[in-house]
Amino acid sequence: MGAVSVSARLEEVRQRVASAAARSGRSMDEIEVVAVGKGHSVAILREAFEAGQSVFGENRAQELRHKVGGLPGSVIWHFVGPLQTNKVRIVRPRVSLLQSFDRDRLVRPWLKGQDEPPPVLLQVNIGQESQKHGVPPALVAETFDRWEQGGVRLHGIMAIPPLGNDPEDARPYFIRMRRIRDELSERSGRDLTLSMGMTDDFEVAIEEGSTMVRVGRAIFGRRPTVE
């Protein structure tokens, strides 16, 4: 049998999203799927675009710049990886959302410029892991308010839970993220985005309230070994 096509993989992901949404009493229309193309060619991403995928994510600035130029202008781009301050000038004009706003040092370069910068998600280090980026859970509310008062447009929060052997291992972290988002939404009076869940655990994330999932391998297959 031949390899599974990107369009077939994408349709399977959509069906899984719909099922998980139904289990949480929601419609799949309430869940945004971001197709993360890290390491995959423009041609592969174009297959997903032609199958109806409109939102794509990248986590490397140079790769984002290359791919934006190779896909139609109607594509919506998110940046989902750690952002170095010296790469802000590449990312800022090319994305509709920065999902990984994780530290004070990004505020000034992100706001710099004549045009209004895109909105961001505050990245939460929900597992408080030393090797991961993000704001500790206990500091999220204070940081959220401080960055907003400083001029950053915050549309919600994002997290990557600790790696586990089973998707269920992530559920407690997703539950905590939902509580943090709900508290922020109540305080701000806004319906904030909750971006959590990737290929291995996005169904559990949706069951626990995720409104945005970042899916790469389930759509595009494994990345080439040489990038």
Side-chain angles (χ1 to χ4, degrees), residues 73-221:
S74 58
V75 168
I76 299 168
W77 293 97
H78 292 187
F79 195 78
V80 300
L83 180 59
Q84 299 173 1
T85 55
N86 64 349
K87 295 297 186 353
V88 167
R89 59 185 174 80
I90 297 174
V91 171
R92 187 183 187 272
R94 291 176 170 85
V95 299
S96 296
L97 183 69
L98 171 61
Q99 293 209 27
S100 49
F101 206 92
D102 60 358
R103 62 198 188 281
D104 289 330
R105 286 185 61 193
L106 278 177
V107 173
R108 181 173 293 180
W110 191 251
L111 295 178
K112 185 178 180 181
Q114 295 182 345
D115 297 332
E116 185 176 26
V120 308
L121 303 183
L122 182 154
Q123 182 170 350
V124 182
N125 187 348
I126 194 63
Q128 302 188 72
E129 300 171 273
S130 60
Q131 76 278 18
K132 284 187 179 174
H133 298 265
V135 177
L139 299 179
V140 167
E142 180 271 331
T143 305
F144 193 97
D145 290 345
R146 177 160 44 80
W147 286 350
E148 277 212 316
Q149 291 166 7
V152 180
R153 287 193 295 153
L154 284 151
H155 278 197
I157 59 175
M158 180 272 266
I160 303 171
L163 182 65
N165 295 319
D166 187 283
E168 286 295 327
D169 294 340
R171 193 179 294 275
Y173 299 101
F174 292 150
I175 291 172
R176 189 173 186 190
M177 281 292 293
R178 169 67 182 270
R179 289 172 179 164
I180 293 171
R181 193 285 309 271
D182 287 351
E183 291 172 1
L184 289 172
S185 291
E186 184 176 356
R187 290 171 63 248
S188 67
R190 290 180 288 148
D191 189 14
L192 297 172
T193 295
L194 178 56
S195 176
M196 60 185 192
M198 298 186 291
T199 285
D200 292 332
D201 56 21
F202 71 84
E203 289 157 298
V204 175
I206 291 171
E207 289 171 1
E208 296 303 337
S210 177
T211 63
M212 184 178 287
V213 294
R214 310 176 302 276
V215 183
R217 190 173 70 253
I219 296 174
F220 299 114

